[in-house]
Amino acid sequence: MSTEFCPVTWPEIPTPENVRMCCECGLYEHGSRMVWGEGNPNASIMIILDNPGLREDRNGNPFVCGTRQTLQKAAHHIGLDSNDFYVTYILKRKPTRKYDKEAVRKICMNHLKEQLQNSQPEHILCLGNVAVQSFFQDDTVDVKSLRLNVHHVHGYSTTVSYHPLAVRRRPNLWKKFIEDWEFLANL
């Protein structure tokens, strides 16, 4: 068995019919499609990001974006794969232009609450300040001050770490990112 890392596309979970055409937050006007989640919806670990990234190139060919590459590399580093976690988002559509961030996040949290009720994960890992502040419902918290601790948020055991794109842009965060994943793995 090879221990080399190779990023792959994850299985995408179809958006439930009852919300597929949701237009309450207004992001449907941005032209991006709704992405409900990826990985195993029955996994014990739910990873929450701010919003979905690019999934297809201009010709519609799927590719693994930088966020997913970094997530997969960290998961691989500690011995996990896409069957071990479920990745979802505060916003279910990728914003493509300016929007009312506070109002949209508040509306979209209802979809996340539905996912939590359906999947009942044992643990949540929030990645990045936007996801952390939205999930904790506190715009004064940040990853730097909350990491390497377990927090109980909405009845769920929750840890936090940096956003994968921040880790890609600032390689000095990689060691901390891995520490956070190892902390999660040892719970």
Side-chain angles (χ1 to χ4, degrees):
M1 182 171 151
S2 174
T3 59
E4 289 185 35
F5 168 71
C6 181
V8 296
T9 55
W10 287 329
E12 190 174 311
I13 306 308
T15 302
E17 281 296 322
N18 65 320
V19 295
R20 184 169 289 152
M21 301 308 286
C22 179
C23 57
E24 191 177 349
C25 74
L27 288 181
Y28 73 98
E29 295 174 348
H30 291 217
S32 56
R33 68 182 180 86
M34 188 176 271
V35 179
W36 198 248
E38 297 174 272
N40 176 3
N42 299 312
S44 61
I45 300 169
M46 179 182 278
I47 296 172
I48 301 175
L49 288 160
D50 50 353
N51 57 260
L54 293 174
R55 295 185 145 42
E56 299 94 12
D57 64 18
R58 290 182 181 171
N59 298 320
N61 301 313
F63 74 95
V64 182
C65 69
T67 295
R68 286 185 280 167
Q69 285 180 18
T70 304
L71 275 177
Q72 289 178 23
K73 187 175 179 181
H76 176 80
H77 183 84
I78 63 166
L80 298 177
D81 64 32
S82 65
N83 289 320
D84 298 315
F85 52 85
Y86 178 60
V87 179
T88 192
Y89 313 93
I90 300 295
L91 307 181
K92 303 302 183 201
R93 296 179 188 270
K94 180 174 176 51
T96 59
R97 58 184 179 271
K98 205 171 183 179
Y99 65 100
D100 183 342
K101 293 177 181 174
E102 187 176 333
V104 168
R105 288 179 187 142
K106 187 178 244 183
I107 291 167
C108 291
M109 277 297 294
N110 293 322
H111 293 312
L112 181 59
K113 288 175 184 174
E114 178 183 334
Q115 286 177 293
L116 287 166
Q117 289 171 350
N118 290 336
S119 57
Q120 294 291 311
E122 291 175 27
H123 192 79
I124 292 173
L125 173 60
C126 283
L127 298 178
N129 284 334
V130 171
V132 169
Q133 291 169 359
S134 297
F135 187 68
F136 282 59
Q137 295 181 321
D138 182 348
D139 61 1
T140 66
V141 297
D142 64 11
V143 168
K144 187 176 179 180
S145 62
L146 296 176
R147 57 184 293 273
L148 297 176
N149 284 294
V150 176
H151 308 274
H152 298 283
V153 184
H154 308 296
Y156 295 94
S157 169
T158 306
T159 59
V160 307
S161 190
Y162 297 97
H163 192 286
L165 289 182
V167 174
R168 286 177 72 87
R169 291 181 187 129
R170 296 175 50 205
N172 61 312
L173 292 178
W174 176 253
K175 182 179 176 190
K176 292 178 181 183
F177 193 58
I178 291 301
E179 285 174 349
D180 296 334
W181 280 79
E182 288 172 342
F183 179 78
L184 170 64
N186 290 319
L187 291 179

